[in-house]
Amino acid sequence: VDKCGWVAGLGIEYMLMQNVVVGVKYQHVDLGTANPSFPISGAPGVGVSVPMKQNYDLVKATVSLKY
């Protein structure tokens, strides 16, 4: 079973004040292609396999308070 993927990302932070840091982060996640099988109602043992790409792009904004 081939279950592998990869992640690449970058981010930046900026000290807004002495105790407040803001930032933004980006990640691209690629988990390959899955081929789930969906059964057809009323037809035992018969199903449809649909290839589905599993790629995600994530953007996260952050605010950190330093004490």
Side-chain angles (χ1 to χ4, degrees):
V1 177
D2 184 18
K3 301 267 185 182
C4 63
W6 57 273
V7 177
L10 57 94
I12 189 168
E13 292 185 333
Y14 177 75
M15 184 176 282
L16 194 59
M17 291 183 269
Q18 187 175 0
N19 64 338
V20 179
V21 177
V22 295
V24 64
K25 298 176 183 178
Y26 166 79
Q27 283 187 326
H28 177 79
V29 180
D30 187 337
L31 300 176
T33 302
N35 291 304
S37 181
F38 300 98
I40 296 177
S41 180
V46 177
V48 177
S49 180
V50 180
M52 296 170 41
K53 285 189 174 188
Q54 298 178 337
N55 299 331
Y56 307 96
D57 291 299
L58 308 168
V59 177
K60 179 169 51 170
T62 61
V63 177
S64 300
L65 300 175
K66 308 292 183 184
Y67 292 101

